[in-house]
């Protein structure tokens, strides 16, 4: 019970951090966006952005957060925006890592049906735009 409460609190804090990140315009304030994004990676995944490709490897502790169903759409949005920010800074490798992480999250939740909403439709479009820019 205590462990579940602790995990719920961390998830709530992460949602708040991602919400603050999404308020930053990644096109106009790219460096600020990437700085806050890096802080989220350090805080919740114990990684620097240069090690982001480690999120593609199975790790029980990191996967508990990365693949959490409640965080799915928030994290997809975060990695999409980070991918676009990395493209803006011409960091193709990191942008591709973001897309690979997005695909990992989507694959993990592929068996869960989610009613389409305007938000999820927009998210799908943005993921496709990122994919196209990386081809």
């Amino acid at each position: 019970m205590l462990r579940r409460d602790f995990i719920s609190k961390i998830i709530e804090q992460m949602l708040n951090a991602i919400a603050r990140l999404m308020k930053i315009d990644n096109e106009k304030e790219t460096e600020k966006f990437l700085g806050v994004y890096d802080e989220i990676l350090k805080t919740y995944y114990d990684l620097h952005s240069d090690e982001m490709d480690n999120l593609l490897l199975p790790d029980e502790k990191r996967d508990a957060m990365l693949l959490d169903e409640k965080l799915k759409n928030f994290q997809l949005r975060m990695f999409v925006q980070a991918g676009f920010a990395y493209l803006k800074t011409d960091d193709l490798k990191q942008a591709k890592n973001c897309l690979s992480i997005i695909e990992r999250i989507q694959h993990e939740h592929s068996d869960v049906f989610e009613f389409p909403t305007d938000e999820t439709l927009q998210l799908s479009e943005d993921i496709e735009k990122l994919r196209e820019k990386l081809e």
Side-chain angles (χ1 to χ4, degrees), residues 75-119:
Q75 292 197 89
L76 289 173
R77 171 67 52 204
M78 177 180 72
F79 287 115
V80 165
Q81 295 303 319
F84 284 124
Y86 283 122
L87 279 174
K88 188 164 169 88
T89 62
D90 295 322
D91 192 341
L92 198 59
K93 179 183 181 244
Q94 291 294 62
K96 286 182 179 182
N97 281 337
C98 287
L99 183 59
S100 295
I101 293 166
I102 289 166
E103 290 168 347
R104 181 169 186 233
I105 293 169
Q106 288 178 317
H107 178 65
E108 180 67 26
H109 297 286
S110 63
D111 60 337
V112 176
F113 177 77
E114 185 175 358
F115 283 102
T117 64
D118 289 341
E119 180 184 337

Side-chain angles (χ1 to χ4, degrees), residues 34-35 37-55 62 79 86 91 93-94 97 101:
L34 290 174
Y37 172 75
D38 197 40
E39 283 300 314
I40 290 173
L41 291 178
K42 286 179 195 172
T43 303
Y44 296 101
Y45 297 113
D46 196 26
L47 293 172
H48 186 271
S49 59
D50 294 339
E51 306 166 312
M52 189 171 51
D53 56 344
N54 287 338
L55 291 175
R62 288 186 190 126
F79 287 115
Y86 283 122
D91 192 341
K93 179 183 181 244
Q94 291 294 62
N97 281 337
I101 293 166

